[in-house]
Amino acid sequence: GDSVTQMEGPVTLSEEAFLTINCTYTATGYPSLFWYVQYPGEGLQLLLKATKADDKGSNKGFEATYRKETTSFHLEKGSVQVSDSAVYFCALFNDYKLSFGAGTTVTVRA
Amino acid sequence: EAGVVQSPRYKIIEKKQPVAFWCNPISGHNTLYWYLQNLGQGPELLIRYENEEAVDDSQLPKDRFSAERLKGVDSTLKIQPAELGDSAVYLCASSKTSGSAMDTQYFGPGTRLTVL
């Protein structure tokens, strides 16, 4: 079945540091890929998505590129802020179903 | 626009007791999902509704879990009887439809269940 593997956390960074969270997937067919974010005390919300190979999703300074050859969708941000502290989930959509990775907790220190 | 509403936010019960969770999706969203999120893991789909029809309940443990969406709007997820292993966060989500990745799923804040 479909599965998503993402970098284990927790990840702790200083403000303005570069963030990357690795995500790889296994799926049949042509899934769409997502990053969801969960801020403390809030529900999951969509951060960005890419629906086909080589697409780049971007939002709030975050970017991720759908790499079919490496089955990856790594999340990056060039300069993180304290407000980026959250749990980040990589997910894929295939056959009407959204499958999530285990989540990566990111803490940004001032 | 109001988001997905869930209640209660927290619930503590003794094992073998019944428990119910309620979800009201975003207005106009035909598809409703219930997910289970164990500590340190990502959400896992329990059941998906298209209007009032449960179109995917393959991951719902039907011996103790049940769900309904009688009028195609709000939904209730029930556990009877609860077991210690049911302690988790139960998430509800909704989307306009379910057939496309372009239809974003919007999540509620979840209900954190603790079974003692």
Side-chain angles (χ1 to χ4, degrees):
Chain A
D2 298 342
S3 66
V4 176
T5 302
Q6 63 181 101
M7 188 173 83
E8 290 188 17
V11 175
T12 303
L13 303 165
S14 297
E15 218 167 14
E16 299 183 3
F18 182 86
L19 170 67
T20 183
I21 305 175
N22 290 340
C23 172
T24 58
Y25 68 90
T26 302
T28 57
Y30 303 95
S32 295
L33 301 175
F34 301 80
W35 279 99
Y36 276 80
V37 60
Q38 187 170 33
Y39 298 105
E42 299 183 18
L44 279 164
Q45 52 187 275
L46 179 65
L47 180 60
L48 53 84
K49 66 182 178 185
T51 57
K52 61 183 187 297
D54 299 324
D55 269 2
K56 177 185 284 187
S58 61
N59 186 24
K60 299 183 180 180
F62 289 88
E63 292 183 340
T65 301
Y66 188 162
R67 301 290 188 197
K68 187 169 172 61
E69 64 275 15
T70 54
T71 61
S72 65
F73 193 54
H74 305 321
L75 182 69
E76 297 180 338
K77 186 173 184 180
S79 177
V80 294
Q81 305 300 313
V82 172
S83 57
D84 293 323
S85 297
V87 183
Y88 293 82
F89 292 90
C90 186
L92 70 84
F93 182 86
N94 197 23
D95 195 19
Y96 302 97
K97 184 177 177 181
L98 196 57
S99 301
F100 289 86
T104 301
T105 300
V106 173
T107 302
V108 181
R109 294 179 175 171
Chain B
E1 177 182 88
V4 177
V5 179
Q6 291 188 246
S7 68
R9 292 292 308 275
Y10 304 90
K11 188 74 177 178
I12 301 173
I13 60 172
E14 300 280 335
K15 65 181 180 182
K16 301 185 181 179
Q17 293 301 304
V19 64
F21 315 123
W22 177 81
C23 172
N24 188 257
I26 292 172
S27 177
H29 281 193
N30 295 324
T31 308
L32 184 146
Y33 314 78
W34 283 102
Y35 288 86
L36 165 69
Q37 186 176 16
N38 286 306
L39 186 64
Q41 298 183 24
E44 299 174 11
L45 182 68
L46 288 172
I47 188 168
R48 171 170 62 97
Y49 281 94
E50 294 289 347
N51 299 303
E52 63 275 8
E53 181 182 0
V55 295
D56 183 359
D57 63 356
S58 58
Q59 301 304 309
L60 189 72
K62 297 180 185 65
D63 56 336
R64 297 184 301 107
F65 287 65
S66 64
E68 61 183 15
R69 192 184 186 200
L70 293 176
K71 297 183 179 179
V73 180
D74 57 349
S75 175
T76 303
L77 178 69
K78 298 179 181 177
I79 308 175
Q80 183 170 12
E83 297 179 352
L84 295 177
D86 296 331
S87 295
V89 176
Y90 292 82
L91 297 170
C92 180
S94 70
S95 63
K96 290 183 180 178
T97 66
S98 67
S100 168
M102 302 307 291
D103 290 319
T104 300
Q105 292 188 27
Y106 295 86
F107 284 80
T111 296
R112 182 176 297 276
L113 173 68
T114 301
V115 182
L116 303 175

